[in-house]
Amino acid sequence: MCAVILPPRDPAPSRWAYRLQRLWLTPLFRTAVLKGLPLAVLLAIPAGWLADADRREALRAEVADIRRQVETRPEFMVKLMAIEGATPSVDEDIREILPLDFPVSSFDLDLKEMRRTVEGLDAVRSAEMRVRPGGILELRVVERVPALVWRSPEGLALLDAQGNRVAPIEARGARPDLPLIAGRGADKAVPEALHLIAAAGPIGSRLRGLVRVGERRWDVVLDRDQRILLPTRNAVATLERVIALDGVSDMLGRDIVVVDLRNPDRPTVRLAPEAVEEFRRIRRLQAGATN
Amino acid sequence: MTDLYQAQRAMRRMRKQAMDRGVIAILDVGSSKTACLVLRFDGIRPAGGVEQIGALAGQSRFRVIGAATTRSRGVRFGEIHGMHEAERAIRTAVQAAQKMAQVRVDHVIACFSGAGPRSYGLDGQVELAESMATEADIARVLAACEMPPIGPGREVLHAQPVNFALDHRSGLVDPRGQIGHRLACDMHLLTVDAGAIQNLVHCVKRCDLELAGIASSAYASGMSALVEDEQELGAACIDMGGGATGLSIFIKKHMIYADSVRMGGEHVTADISKGLHVPIATAERIKTLHGGVVATGVDDREMIDLGGDSGDYERDTRRISRTELIGIMRPRVEEILEEVRARLDAAGFEHLPSQQIVLTGAGSQIPGLDGLASRILGQQVRLGRPMRVQGLPQSATGPGFAAAVGLCLFASHPQDEWWDFDIPAERHPARSLKRAVRWFKENW
């Protein structure tokens, strides 16, 4: 009874088993299999599903539909617009340039763009917009305050203190309370004009307006066609000088057509033609001549 | 010679590469077992700079992270005998060690015990070009050693400078930077059969590994089994392996002689198998469990069952006394030791200042061997075990792993060899132009 003893199993790995084990112990390969492979599978499943154009289209439609449903919920709807701080005419203008068709979803409102549009209006200095709870689009407007009437080649216009156009007007008589300026480029020097008008307070009753000459200096026009020609620089101080002279010697009350201060070192006055005659006559009389 | 030089340099480069990567494998291809250790170098530098050795005599720089042993196949007398079998054994060991280490190793340092090692002592001397010895001078003096006729089909395995002398001062370890006129050196050259090396290289290559170094296992076991003062004062390490018994003589921390006896534990097993008519496996088991070399009165009464499965009752129930077993083992062990004695005498071992003999290797575990060896080899005999290295499993700390542990030390602290120095300019054919320029400089 001889038992057949099998030779002990050879423990040696085959060449391929050995190589595979070594490959498996290679860090790069190991990382690639353990982390890269699951990641690749996870990416490949959706990618394979999306490879079909119809499915992509359906998915896009689905997403758009859900988005629309959320956007059109009543919580997000804007039902009306409230405008604060605007006069009725500006209010009307704003409602005209903002083409809103209420009710509208607040997702569809581009507040920045709308604000830019509203601030593009001449009469609006600044605007704030927000969607208030309750579906109200609140628009808070600060209007420009007209400070001057400008007679320009294009017609009459109101300007605010910074020289921005506020609105056109039909006639000077519509705003008799505002001072008048004229001349090309006058709107660029509105702050100086306002200073001059303030400085001309003592002769305010006689002031007709200011004229911008050559886009660099001002003429002060008084009634009786009197003009004060101011220099380019230090116009306000020069005007105050003139007013002081007027206060001392009632200069402007005399028959003078032009007070020329374009060169402040050499003030010049021009008399009216009759006054020149009269002046010459008086000089002759004083000289003792008889005619 | 230049081929060998280049091959050894390539191996050194490979070793440096492996050190940079931090992982290297040790492969001890023995006749009875193939062991593989995987070392991890952590790059821990000694605190005191390069001059210092560091903690644990520098052994703290690496750690064993994988160890595996398998029965050798296809290896006889310490040489590869069946290429495929040996390759499979190497593969088994490497795979198991890699699995334990959980890291892939690409570089391996191997050792083997057989292939008829032969030692040569060389000397050479040169006049120094300048008064100070430089590294180039060392290269020149190493190159000035005359190559002995090592015979066809032999390869140089180790070529280690053992001693330097500058003028009349001998025993210098590092003559660089010292002042003198004449530099002389002694070199120990160890040659082995080229065929055995080529077989090993081929096997390792077939396992997809790169050979980063190759050493004689007698040298490796001497490195690990001899303690430092034994290496310094002079000692012989006898590595009793399965198929071959290697011996190496150390003095001043350098190996000066190595040889191997082509007999080992497998011959003892074969004797038992033949003498008792039992299979080799049974003989091996009886030898390891009951073996010995000194018989006493108790051994007559200690009976050993031989066992068997022939079906013949008489044959399967045979019993022998331990004395009979010892009677079979002792002559063979004596023969091995006498052969070792003859080699030691031939090497002039009796002229060394200290004649310590250290027995190691798995064969040294036979009970009573130290007593027998002291009668044949001399009075100063001890049994050696390899030194401890970090992370080595308990199962691999026995004397049978002396060569593997020695290779770890070889990997971490390699001795300077001839090929670590550049070939001097005079020897190099490609630099003849440089030589001509130098000649002009010197003569004009």
Side-chain angles (χ1 to χ4, degrees):
Chain A
M1 298 305 286
C2 177
V4 178
I5 296 176
L6 290 170
R9 198 184 62 84
D10 185 4
S14 68
R15 271 178 90 82
W16 282 108
Y18 175 75
R19 280 187 183 156
L20 274 179
Q21 198 223 8
R22 281 171 66 78
L23 187 64
W24 180 239
L25 286 175
T26 310
L28 192 65
F29 178 80
R30 210 182 161 105
T31 316
V33 171
L34 289 182
K35 298 201 175 135
L37 204 62
L39 198 67
V41 169
L42 282 180
L43 290 178
I45 291 171
W49 191 80
L50 285 175
D52 187 12
D54 292 346
R55 286 198 197 126
R56 271 205 304 277
E57 201 50 52
L59 184 70
R60 203 170 292 142
E62 184 98 351
V63 169
D65 187 39
I66 291 171
R67 190 183 160 84
R68 177 61 23 204
Q69 277 179 18
V70 171
E71 282 177 359
T72 53
R73 285 181 69 81
E75 289 87 344
F76 296 121
M77 295 306 278
V78 175
K79 286 184 260 329
L80 58 96
M81 177 161 68
I83 300 176
E84 284 180 23
T87 50
S89 66
V90 175
D91 189 303
E92 212 166 273
D93 286 349
I94 290 173
R95 283 180 197 281
E96 199 170 302
I97 62 164
L98 288 183
L100 291 177
D101 187 13
F102 295 109
V104 64
S105 168
S106 59
F107 287 94
D108 296 339
L109 292 177
D110 185 356
L111 290 185
K112 274 185 187 163
E113 184 59 41
M114 284 160 68
R115 177 164 171 245
R116 209 169 296 135
T117 311
V118 170
E119 287 185 343
L121 283 175
D122 285 339
V124 177
R125 192 166 78 192
S126 68
E128 271 177 43
M129 293 190 117
R130 67 189 182 102
V131 176
R132 228 166 51 187
I136 298 168
L137 176 65
E138 187 180 290
L139 181 56
R140 201 168 285 169
V141 174
V142 179
E143 285 193 19
R144 297 187 196 281
V145 181
L148 289 171
V149 180
W150 178 35
R151 191 191 294 280
S152 68
E154 287 85 34
L156 281 170
L158 293 173
L159 297 182
D160 73 351
Q162 281 76 41
N164 297 300
R165 252 178 95 91
V166 177
I169 55 170
E170 296 296 322
R172 169 77 177 98
R175 295 303 297 264
D177 53 324
L178 298 179
L180 178 73
I181 59 173
R184 189 186 298 278
D187 55 336
K188 307 254 181 1
V190 166
E192 196 188 15
L194 288 174
H195 278 125
L196 287 173
I197 289 162
I203 53 169
S205 56
R206 296 193 54 203
L207 184 70
R208 297 281 298 276
L210 303 179
V211 178
R212 188 73 170 163
V213 181
E215 298 193 25
R216 65 187 169 86
R217 64 175 196 85
W218 289 105
D219 277 2
V220 180
V221 180
L222 304 177
D223 57 358
R224 294 200 281 117
D225 282 342
Q226 270 186 342
R227 275 180 177 247
I228 303 170
L229 275 57
L230 295 175
T232 310
R233 307 177 65 185
N234 281 333
V236 177
T238 312
L239 181 62
E240 279 166 355
R241 230 173 102 195
V242 172
I243 289 167
L245 277 174
D246 179 46
V248 172
S249 58
D250 190 23
M251 181 177 72
L252 297 176
R254 301 176 187 226
D255 202 358
I256 291 172
V257 181
V258 169
V259 181
D260 188 350
L261 284 160
R262 284 175 296 183
N263 184 349
D265 297 337
R266 199 191 57 187
T268 313
V269 296
R270 187 194 302 161
L271 302 177
E274 302 84 41
V276 173
E277 280 303 311
E278 186 64 23
F279 182 60
R280 283 184 181 146
R281 197 179 61 81
I282 291 168
R283 290 288 289 271
R284 278 202 302 277
L285 282 177
Q286 283 175 347
T290 56
N291 51 349
Chain B
M1 192 170 82
T2 315
D3 277 358
L4 165 93
Y5 181 87
Q6 298 300 349
Q8 292 277 14
R9 272 183 91 92
M11 282 206 257
R12 272 295 153 101
R13 266 203 306 280
M14 212 86 83
R15 195 185 69 81
K16 284 214 180 71
Q17 241 176 41
M19 292 293 202
D20 291 342
R21 266 208 207 167
V23 177
I24 198 166
I26 297 297
L27 194 64
D28 174 17
V29 184
S31 320
S32 60
K33 67 157 173 39
T34 298
C36 179
L37 306 181
V38 179
L39 308 186
R40 179 188 290 290
F41 287 86
D42 296 329
I44 306 163
R45 295 268 164 251
V50 186
E51 302 294 322
Q52 301 263 318
I53 300 175
L56 284 174
Q59 308 318 321
S60 57
R61 281 180 56 200
F62 66 86
R63 185 176 175 81
V64 178
I65 55 171
T69 313
T70 184
R71 184 171 62 90
S72 276
R73 285 152 289 165
V75 183
R76 267 198 201 169
F77 304 119
E79 299 159 22
I80 289 173
H81 186 257
M83 293 289 279
H84 288 280
E85 289 290 292
E87 182 203 327
R88 289 162 79 84
I90 292 173
R91 228 158 51 199
T92 314
V94 170
Q95 189 187 37
Q98 276 184 155
K99 195 168 180 180
M100 178 174 165
Q102 279 300 307
V103 69
R104 176 188 162 144
V105 285
D106 289 326
H107 300 91
V108 63
I109 297 182
C111 78
F112 59 97
S113 56
R118 232 176 272 162
S119 277
Y120 300 87
L122 317 180
D123 60 344
Q125 53 185 7
V126 288
E127 297 286 338
L128 291 186
E130 293 133 25
S131 60
M132 190 186 284
T134 60
E135 194 153 328
D137 289 323
I138 294 176
R140 273 201 309 139
V141 73
L142 292 180
C145 294
E146 197 178 336
M147 189 71 179
I150 57 175
R154 305 279 294 174
E155 282 279 15
V156 177
L157 190 60
H158 293 291
Q160 298 164 340
V162 169
N163 181 29
F164 288 101
L166 201 55
D167 293 339
H168 303 295
R169 293 183 296 136
S170 184
L172 301 179
V173 177
D174 184 5
R176 281 178 301 173
Q178 302 203 32
I179 309 295
H181 300 292
R182 174 181 290 271
L183 181 67
C185 91
D186 298 316
M187 186 150 79
H188 172 233
L189 191 77
L190 188 72
T191 67
V192 292
D193 269 337
I197 291 189
Q198 278 159 11
N199 286 347
L200 181 63
V201 168
H202 187 69
C203 272
V204 168
K205 192 173 282 175
R206 273 180 65 89
C207 293
D208 304 334
L209 299 166
E210 299 271 6
L211 199 61
I214 193 161
S216 158
S217 77
Y219 173 53
S221 9
M223 295 261 288
S224 70
L226 299 184
V227 297
E228 203 170 344
D229 53 346
E230 285 170 347
Q231 283 185 5
E232 178 73 32
L233 298 174
C237 174
I238 295 164
D239 179 9
M240 305 184 70
T245 298
L247 65 130
S248 55
I249 300 177
F250 279 71
I251 193 167
K252 295 201 172 205
K253 297 194 179 156
H254 291 289
M255 179 174 69
I256 55 166
Y257 180 80
D259 205 341
S260 104
V261 176
R262 286 162 74 83
M263 272 188 288
E266 278 179 1
H267 296 82
V268 179
T269 310
D271 284 349
I272 295 169
S273 169
K274 286 170 190 163
L276 300 179
H277 297 284
V278 290
I280 290 279
T282 314
E284 180 73 31
R285 183 174 58 82
I286 292 171
K287 183 185 82 171
T288 47
L289 290 179
H290 307 285
V293 285
V294 181
T296 58
V298 183
D299 295 332
D300 284 332
R301 294 197 293 279
E302 188 180 334
M303 301 304 283
I304 303 165
D305 282 322
L306 291 185
D309 47 14
S310 65
D312 180 353
Y313 180 78
E314 295 296 331
R315 187 183 164 85
D316 290 354
T317 53
R318 280 180 302 155
R319 304 177 85 196
I320 57 157
S321 70
R322 187 163 178 239
T323 311
E324 283 175 273
L325 178 64
I326 289 171
I328 294 172
M329 287 176 68
R330 181 170 174 129
R332 179 61 85 171
V333 176
E334 274 178 349
E335 188 190 354
I336 294 172
L337 292 176
E338 273 160 12
E339 191 70 25
V340 168
R341 172 83 252 173
R343 303 291 169 97
L344 287 179
D345 286 345
F349 183 62
E350 68 268 25
H351 301 300
L352 291 193
S354 156
Q355 291 172 22
Q356 180 76 43
I357 288 173
V358 178
L359 295 170
T360 186
S364 71
Q365 287 166 302
I366 304 175
L369 181 71
D370 46 347
L372 181 63
S374 64
R375 282 174 53 188
I376 296 174
L377 299 175
Q379 286 302 310
Q380 303 177 44
V381 173
R382 73 170 180 96
L383 297 180
R385 295 166 68 86
M387 65 185 296
R388 296 174 181 208
V389 292
Q390 275 191 72
L392 196 65
Q394 178 66 35
S395 60
T397 52
F401 288 85
V405 173
L407 267 190
C408 297
L409 309 187
F410 177 78
S412 67
H413 290 284
Q415 164 128 35
D416 278 347
E417 305 230 20
W418 169 56
W419 33 81
D420 291 333
F421 298 92
D422 290 325
I423 294 186
E426 295 89 56
R427 292 282 177 110
H428 214 291
R431 294 191 188 162
S432 50
L433 190 69
K434 201 172 168 185
R435 222 173 95 200
V437 170
R438 215 168 88 182
W439 185 86
F440 264 94
K441 264 189 189 169
E442 282 170 3
N443 292 280
W444 293 80

